[in-house]
Amino acid sequence: MKLLAVVISLMLSSCLYAKQYHFGAIQGLIEQQVGQRVLPQIYQPIDINITITPLPAKRAQHLATTGKNDGEIMRIYSYGEENPNTIRIPTPYYQLETMAFVRADRNIAIKKKSDLQHFRIAKVRGVKHTNNITRGLTNVIDVDSTSQLMWLVNSGRADVALTNTLDGVIALKRLKIDSVKPCGTALATLDLYHYVHQKHQAIVPTLNQQIIKMKSSGELNKLIETAEKNAITRALRSGGTSKPLFGH
């Protein structure tokens, strides 16, 4: 019986770890670029290789929820509530802030969610944390990139751009726009979780324990710091000064 148990254990271990997983990431967002660097290093100690493809947010969600991809590298908590075909790894491994960006020469103060109803809002299409905070508002413009958000606000075609603080600041530096600033107070701070398709339920406890272990040892924080520096350097070097995709 003991031999049989060992054989079964080895077979289960082989099923868990013999695969290569493929995940989607939302393209063009700095926090997702950090995740693309950190997540493979979370999987490495448990002998799973992963590949990651940046995609439009809605496309990434569709592939993850249908099982055509193995999941998404990072999303907020409510993503799991909205997509029951995915499983949230219980321990978050990163965070983002929902920040309002406005022209510095306008007297606009955004300190809480309810303040948004008075202004024209721009956000990146399909991003959950900005979808959630603008739910019920009718004055919302969806665009394809953070750069487009900043061009809209800079040109006066939108009053407020909503995005992750770091993502917005990097976009402004890259575009050399100094007339748009963050409001200063984040509207929300949200944990980011890794999601796998429900067919991979067996890997969830092992992966969660690995995140906990790396957090406790300080290794995860070091990986994140390095990944942030690399992502910021890469973003600033990339230029990204192309004009927005809007008519005059």
Side-chain angles (χ1 to χ4, degrees):
M1 289 297 292
K2 288 184 178 180
L3 179 60
L4 179 59
V6 170
V7 171
I8 292 173
S9 177
L10 289 172
M11 289 175 64
L12 290 173
S13 177
S14 176
C15 290
L16 282 176
Y17 300 120
K19 288 186 176 181
Q20 175 165 307
Y21 293 90
H22 186 73
F23 299 108
I26 302 176
Q27 63 189 20
L29 299 180
I30 197 75
E31 68 271 16
Q32 297 277 326
Q33 293 168 23
V34 171
Q36 288 178 64
R37 292 175 177 271
V38 171
L39 192 62
Q41 297 179 79
I42 293 175
Y43 271 91
Q44 188 176 21
I46 56 176
D47 297 323
I48 296 178
N49 295 319
I50 69 170
T51 56
I52 300 167
T53 301
L55 298 162
K58 289 187 176 180
R59 179 65 175 164
Q61 180 177 343
H62 171 73
L63 293 177
T65 57
T66 58
K68 294 179 180 178
N69 270 355
D70 295 303
E72 288 203 59
I73 66 166
M74 60 167 60
R75 289 278 199 160
I76 62 174
Y77 188 92
S78 65
Y79 177 92
E81 305 296 304
E82 298 168 10
N83 298 285
N85 285 349
T86 64
I87 300 175
R88 181 192 310 109
I89 306 304
T91 304
Y93 72 102
Y94 200 43
Q95 284 187 326
L96 63 75
E97 293 180 334
T98 306
M99 178 63 73
F101 288 79
V102 300
R103 278 190 63 99
D105 58 359
R106 295 193 60 191
N107 187 27
I108 295 178
I110 307 292
K111 297 181 178 180
K112 56 186 182 299
K113 177 181 176 179
S114 59
D115 293 336
L116 296 173
Q117 64 185 319
H118 306 297
F119 302 102
R120 295 168 297 166
I121 310 299
K123 65 181 182 66
V124 176
R125 182 178 291 106
V127 177
K128 292 296 179 184
H129 72 106
T130 51
N131 280 355
N132 290 350
I133 207 163
T134 57
R135 186 173 288 120
L137 299 180
T138 58
N139 54 344
V140 179
I141 304 167
D142 281 328
V143 299
D144 294 324
S145 71
T146 309
S147 295
Q148 290 179 18
L149 293 182
M150 300 310 171
W151 283 115
L152 278 172
V153 172
N154 189 53
S155 67
R157 298 183 186 185
D159 301 311
V160 179
L162 290 177
T163 189
N164 178 30
T165 305
L166 182 59
D167 189 54
V169 169
I170 294 301
L172 291 171
K173 288 182 178 180
R174 192 174 62 237
L175 297 167
K176 296 181 172 58
I177 294 175
D178 56 13
S179 58
V180 177
K181 306 290 184 183
C183 279
T185 302
L187 296 174
T189 300
L190 301 167
D191 287 328
L192 291 168
Y193 300 82
H194 177 38
Y195 285 86
V196 298
H197 188 264
Q198 60 185 0
K199 64 187 176 185
H200 299 307
Q201 184 173 1
I203 194 60
V204 171
T206 302
L207 192 54
N208 190 56
Q209 285 302 312
Q210 180 60 24
I211 294 173
I212 292 171
K213 178 182 177 181
M214 294 175 73
K215 274 190 165 186
S216 298
S217 69
E219 182 181 2
L220 182 60
N221 188 55
K222 291 179 181 178
L223 290 174
I224 287 172
E225 287 181 358
T226 300
E228 285 179 338
K229 289 177 183 177
N230 289 336
I232 291 168
T233 299
R234 183 178 178 183
L236 293 176
R237 286 178 178 172
S238 69
T241 56
S242 58
K243 296 297 181 182
L245 303 178
F246 303 97
H248 299 287

